């Protein structure tokens, strides 16, 4: 997850900060596994090192088989800025599942979720999803960047529209939130 300043994505340098702990160690203390994802490290990553992970969903139940991490977003004044953007970004490589979902959930006074779905069967493509049906906004800024050796950087921008949330949770569903296909592997 990159915290994005107003100039991010422009043709000049921008300042970003990775807010995730252990962002390349899914077995690390920062990540929570719901118990339905098997982790295997040692796959060749986009930088050519054997540091990437295979995430295997091992259930066909909806809203299961995910990894998550919570990020505190409470500034000193007790409120976040309305419409403060956060860019969620993940490197993915197709393995065998047809879909992968990434959700961002703001929690605190109430929960609001946003998300995207990667359809690996269509070249791949990225679409928005109604993440959890809780009234969250649909991302309007999202995309996919092609990298060498079959890797992609998938990203979308989220924000708390009412500025009352205290936590941003990121969830990675290697075989989608709704399990549109049987559980299979996905490299991230």
């Amino acid at each position: 997850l990159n915290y994005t300043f107003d100039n991010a994505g422009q043709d000049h340098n921008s300042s970003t900060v990775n807010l995730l702990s252990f962002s390349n160690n899914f077995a690390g203390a920062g990540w929570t596994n719901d118990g339905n994802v098997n982790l295997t490290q040692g796959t060749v990553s986009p930088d050519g090192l054997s540091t990437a992970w295979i995430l295997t969903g091992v259930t066909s139940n909806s809203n299961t088989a995910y990894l998550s991490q919570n990020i505190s977003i409470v500034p000193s004044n007790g409120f976040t800025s309305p419409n403060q953007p956060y860019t969620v970004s993940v490197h993915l490589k197709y393995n065998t599942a047809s879909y992968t979902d990434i959700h961002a959930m703001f929690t605190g006074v109430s929960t609001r979720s946003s998300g995207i779905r990667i359809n690996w069967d269509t070249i791949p493509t990225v679409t928005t999803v109604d993440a959890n049906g809780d009234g969250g906004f649909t991302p309007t800024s999202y995309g996919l960047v092609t990298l060498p050796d079959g890797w992609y950087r998938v990203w979308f921008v989220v924000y708390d529209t009412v500025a009352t949330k205290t936590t941003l949770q990121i969830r990675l569903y290697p075989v989608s939130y709704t399990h549109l296909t049987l559980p299979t592997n996905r490299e991230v």
Side-chain angles (χ1 to χ4, degrees):
L1 172 76
N2 289 324
Y3 172 82
T4 308
F5 295 92
D6 290 334
N7 63 346
Q10 303 300 317
D11 292 333
H12 53 279
N13 291 332
S14 61
S15 298
T16 61
V17 176
N18 185 352
L19 299 176
L20 293 172
S21 300
F22 302 96
S23 60
N24 192 35
N25 182 0
F26 293 116
W31 291 96
T32 300
N33 185 335
D34 80 340
N36 295 302
V37 178
N38 290 338
L39 303 171
T40 307
Q41 187 180 25
T43 299
V44 176
S45 64
D47 63 8
L49 302 175
S50 294
T51 57
W53 295 78
I54 295 175
L55 307 181
T56 306
V58 294
T59 182
S60 59
N61 297 327
S62 292
N63 196 20
T64 59
Y66 64 85
L67 299 175
S68 65
Q69 187 169 140
N70 292 328
I71 302 158
S72 176
I73 57 170
V74 181
S76 60
N77 68 359
F79 294 96
T80 59
S81 299
N83 302 322
Q84 174 62 55
Y86 295 86
T87 300
V88 179
S89 172
V90 152
H91 289 89
L92 299 171
K93 183 176 181 179
Y94 173 76
N95 196 355
T96 57
S98 294
Y99 301 92
T100 299
D101 286 1
I102 306 167
H103 291 187
M105 300 178 351
F106 287 96
T107 60
V109 174
S110 60
T111 299
R112 295 291 182 261
S113 304
S114 301
I116 60 171
R117 172 169 292 146
I118 300 87
N119 182 340
W120 296 103
D121 294 336
T122 57
I123 315 189
T125 56
V126 176
T127 58
T128 60
V129 294
D130 181 12
N132 304 325
D134 58 19
F137 78 95
T138 300
T140 57
S141 184
Y142 58 92
L144 179 137
V145 177
T146 302
L147 302 172
D149 194 33
W151 284 91
Y152 298 89
R153 177 183 172 264
V154 182
W155 62 272
F156 67 110
V157 177
V158 297
Y159 54 90
D160 176 11
T161 58
V162 294
T164 60
K165 311 305 184 259
T166 58
T167 302
L168 173 58
Q169 182 181 85
I170 304 303
R171 286 189 180 184
L172 304 175
Y173 293 89
V175 292
S176 89
Y177 170 78
T178 55
H179 295 283
L180 299 170
T181 58
L182 292 176
T184 50
N185 300 342
R186 175 73 56 234
E187 291 181 0
V188 288

